[in-house]
Amino acid sequence: MEIVRSEKKSTSSNEVNADLVTALPLYRAAPELEVRLEDFELYAIDRLQVLRGISDGLSRGRKPEEMEKLVKKLWKAHMRHAHAPEALNKDIISHFVLRLVYCRTEDLRRWFLSMETTLFRYRFRVETDDVQRELMTEFNLPYKSLSNAEYQTLKDKLSQVARSTGQSLPTADSIFFKVPFEEVPELVATRRVYIHKGNAYVAMSQVVSLIVTHFRSYLSKALVLTNRKWTSTIREQEKDRLTPIIEALSTSYLGPDYSQPSDTTEISLKDIDQLAKTSFPLCMRHLFEKLREDHHLRHGGRMQLGLFLKGVGLNLDDALAFWKAEFTRKVGAERFDREYAYAIRHNYGKEGKRTDYTPYSCQKIISSTPGVGDHHGCPYRHFSEENLRAALGRLGINNRALEEVMVKVQNRHYQLACTLTFEAVHGTSCDAGINHPNQYFSDSKKTMDSKKTMESKVKVTNLCFMGTHEFHTLQGHLNTHFTLVVSKSYFFAECFLTVLIELRRPAKRFC
Amino acid sequence: MGTDDMLIDNSRNQEQLDLNYLKLYYGKLFPHADMFKWLAYGHDGKHPGCDQSYVGRREFSFTLDSDIYIRFQSFYSSSDMEKAIKEKCPVKIDIGPVYSVDPAKRLAYGQGGDNAFTPVERELIFDIDISDYDDVRYCCSGADVCSDCWPLMTVAIKVIDFTLRDDFGFDHILWVYSGRRGVHCWVCDGKARRLNNEQRSAISDYIRVYKGSENSQKKVSLVGQALHPFLSRSYTEVLRSFFEDKLLCTQNLFLNEERYEKILEMIPDECFNIVAVTSELRGKWMDNKRSKDDINTTRWGHLKHSLQSSKQKAQGLRRCVEEIVFAFTYPRLDMEVSKHMNHLLKAPFCIHPKTGRVCVPIDPNRCEEFDPAAVPTLSQLLGELNAAGLTTEGEDEFDRTSLGEAIRYFRSSFLFPLLKSCKEEIEAAYNTEIQQSKNSMSW
């Protein structure tokens, strides 16, 4: 892909790669076409809006049918183009630009991979059988469909699986593929396929899972390669032109990971009980109370609470003292030092692999699977209704708010339920939505300390009128709010676009 | 509550771990060479296709008696490993994954974030603890286990072993007694070792039925017009008969009001006129008539009858009877252990520091016969060794103790078939490679 300067009106950009017949590209190779610098950036922003929307939908636990609608809507809103061929170009260009943007760290890659794969999945699902088969051929998948004889011997099992999952019963015309079970992990995990001797029997209607696995593994490898290219050549070559754009694009769109407590917010042991009452989200408060009550938590709970406390600003020494004080009452100091202290130092990057572990995000907590005796996980998702009601009651939120929370829970909008709880407890609105327990904490503290929330909103709004310089100085500030802004309102999203347009001016000057 | 390692051990079965005994055990009985052969997976051979660095990239970690925990040990030869074990005399040996580079030298590869040091292979492992069944056993709790509740482990072995072999097509599976309260499973086929985390999660989720934490009610939920073939096979071939013929009576599941209320609570309210059903049953069970039949069996019969009677059946898709049986008997996995490549797991043939028992392999085909109380202890083995006197030429020391049988089983049923298939795999991979390079040269 070649990026041309913006003054030059490109004539070749209308040429479409003729090999691509379907509207759903597999992004095998960067296209040989010229791209105007404006498009380079604008297309990327448009695609980001789509990916952001998907990420939001996923974190709200949307069902597949809802996701399908959502993806359709987002795609239509952002990726349409007057000329059909140009729309395909836009699709491909924006994908490759974002690949560059999101190739640079493990976290960025993971996010991009997961969103692009989801996008691909829902675009694939709406294609016709013929197109789907064509795409399978394009992937060079070696699978043959089951012969009639094979089908007859497996018929009973295949229809048993269909009945167990509520799919329509297979007939002699149904197409099944025999594939190694490793290639359809999501169908295996949900027991939606018959598995025998290492092979999964995948119905045509389930082929999307197979394709998605291939798409993801291909993209995952490609991202690592792109990263290598980026660090070895592109970053330097493009340091005056593309690099600033690319760096701005990625930092603005991922929320903070809370791995390092901001230096102002160190908390001390004596405040911790008070803070747990006022500013911990329900998941952490529950763990905290259980720990105080039982003087013990199982592994999952220790990780979830321990990393949260680290993010909140509890330093290693205090953390050791904190856990020790509780565990000692149950297991004795000696056993604590022997069996548990290591893990705490490990979380702080002082043992083993020496990675500074990041606190768990809502998405991670919601998708965890607490077992017998476990107290971790997301209360909105993992508690029974009774237990959740009781827990919310203990927070002192009124009945009306409680019912609203329960409605969100029933619709599986766990983060919204948490957001509503936040609002009920604090008596302020939380436009941002809760995406991270540590964000809950810091938002809560902010509300507690003063009424700064309103001020910062004004600041963000003001960004509309700011130039590049101001934007840069405020970028740090913006970062902490950004995920919220985009997920919440288009108004803010437009603010951001305005800011980026400001940013693009100097980019033109380089040309 | 309090279902886990916090509980104070029952003093029965206890034996203080004597370090001198342990030294003797590592010196005379521990099968160093077999263990090393296993973990080398044929790469210690002479064939040009062998990856000589393979076994040296495996992480071992030792827990020493002085509570020091040493991770990232690696060994290039059986004698290296044997020497280190004898020297350090670890109270516990854990086996980790095979990394991209020698874990002992991981720091030399830097923390560049370039993933230079990352797990690349690991057996698919399962860990099942009896303490996770505390809400369904009345005989023991926590780490304790007796002949009434141990069969829950037997059932777990049967269900999981069957699906691993029949559904997933794995062949080289080692079951090991964890020394006190559970079992470990090592799936060692090449393709199992190379599974990525997502695929591991998928397998664990496929197997997992029992869901629920301390704060949720729903433990097992089976919906749909049929059960998945894997679940229905587990039910008809293992769980049902175990529940009805054994567990029902050994655990006295319907003995008193408290216990049967717990079971009645499991009936989901959405699909039955639950009040009518349960009050009818309660009425029947209130007068505690003595009859010659076992009270549990009788009451379970009543319950089944009410749930399956034709007029109730039409009302819902939920499979209430199966749900109850699954809730009581279905294996409960420690999911985290199986999902990630980098989890450490205690090596077979370690001595459990609390019980003194050897972590011996369990034959899944004869798992009913396994009795944890009969597993040899460290002091028993050394006693046997003393009594047996000097060894004759060419005879292994362990052959004169009750460990002999365990090691012979390990070799003949697990190690030898495994190494044979590893050898074939290495040769096949090598030949393909040769073929490919030939092709590309001629081209």
Side-chain angles (χ1 to χ4, degrees), chain B residues 213-232:
Chain B
S213 63
E214 285 310 291
N215 305 295
S216 67
Q217 230 94 79
K218 268 290 150 305
K219 304 285 188 184
V220 172
S221 158
L222 305 170
V223 282
Q225 296 181 332
L227 285 178
H228 186 278
F230 156 56
L231 296 182
S232 71

Side-chain angles (χ1 to χ4, degrees), chain B residues 121-134:
Chain B
E121 266 195 29
R122 209 269 181 279
E123 293 77 9
L124 174 64
I125 51 178
F126 297 95
D127 180 7
I128 309 161
D129 273 353
I130 192 80
S131 52
D132 283 336
Y133 290 73
D134 276 4

Side-chain angles (χ1 to χ4, degrees), chain B residues 5-252:
Chain B
D5 47 352
M6 291 295 109
L7 284 158
I8 314 298
D9 302 308
N10 193 316
S11 55
R12 133 191 92 122
N13 296 343
Q14 271 233 15
E15 184 175 299
Q16 198 55 45
L17 192 64
D18 186 320
L19 266 198
N20 292 323
Y21 283 14
L22 194 60
K23 261 205 156 61
L24 272 170
Y25 175 73
Y26 285 134
K28 289 185 178 291
L29 295 171
F30 187 79
H32 301 276
D34 293 293
M35 293 286 284
F36 192 83
K37 269 264 169 245
W38 161 31
L39 295 171
Y41 289 105
H43 286 290
D44 53 348
K46 296 268 187 292
H47 192 276
C50 291
D51 175 359
Q52 300 297 339
S53 79
Y54 180 87
V55 69
R57 290 184 276 124
R58 167 79 70 166
E59 174 184 358
F60 290 81
S61 93
F62 291 168
T63 309
L64 305 188
D65 181 54
S66 44
D67 298 336
I68 294 170
Y69 191 45
I70 332 177
R71 284 197 60 183
F72 300 118
Q73 307 281 295
S74 63
F75 307 109
Y76 283 87
S77 69
S78 175
S79 54
D80 274 2
M81 185 184 88
E82 184 167 351
K83 209 175 116 204
I85 292 177
K86 283 178 176 164
E87 210 172 85
K88 302 214 169 79
C89 197
V91 292
K92 182 163 158 253
I93 303 169
D94 283 299
I95 299 175
V98 176
Y99 287 94
S100 48
V101 297
D102 179 351
K105 298 188 189 122
R106 70 196 182 284
L107 295 176
Y109 291 91
Q111 306 275 306
D114 220 14
N115 288 339
F117 178 62
T118 184
V120 291
E121 266 195 29
R122 209 269 181 279
E123 293 77 9
L124 174 64
I125 51 178
F126 297 95
D127 180 7
I128 309 161
D129 273 353
I130 192 80
S131 52
D132 283 336
Y133 290 73
D134 276 4
D135 60 324
V136 293
R137 57 185 187 141
Y138 297 110
C139 51
C140 310
S141 68
D144 293 334
V145 54
C146 70
S147 57
D148 283 341
C149 55
W150 180 260
L152 286 164
M153 292 290 109
T154 313
V155 164
I157 294 176
K158 281 189 188 168
V159 168
I160 296 173
D161 193 72
F162 200 92
T163 185
L164 290 174
R165 289 179 205 274
D166 217 53
D167 298 354
F168 293 100
F170 296 126
D171 293 317
H172 304 286
I173 301 171
L174 179 68
W175 288 93
V176 184
Y177 174 51
S178 73
R180 183 164 62 161
R181 55 176 172 162
V183 290
H184 295 162
C185 174
W186 300 77
V187 187
C188 304
D189 298 57
K191 68 174 194 163
R193 281 178 276 136
R194 289 184 288 269
L195 292 169
N196 63 30
N197 286 344
E198 192 195 10
Q199 292 158 341
R200 282 161 207 265
S201 291
I203 296 177
S204 342
D205 280 325
Y206 178 86
I207 296 176
R208 181 175 72 139
V209 167
Y210 185 89
K211 296 177 187 171
S213 63
E214 285 310 291
N215 305 295
S216 67
Q217 230 94 79
K218 268 290 150 305
K219 304 285 188 184
V220 172
S221 158
L222 305 170
V223 282
Q225 296 181 332
L227 285 178
H228 186 278
F230 156 56
L231 296 182
S232 71
R233 186 188 60 213
S234 306
Y235 181 71
T236 51
E237 289 183 15
V238 185
L239 304 179
R240 185 174 52 198
S241 58
F242 170 69
F243 180 82
E244 295 187 338
D245 303 345
K246 276 206 175 136
L247 198 73
L248 205 51
C249 306
T250 56
Q251 295 295 335
N252 279 310

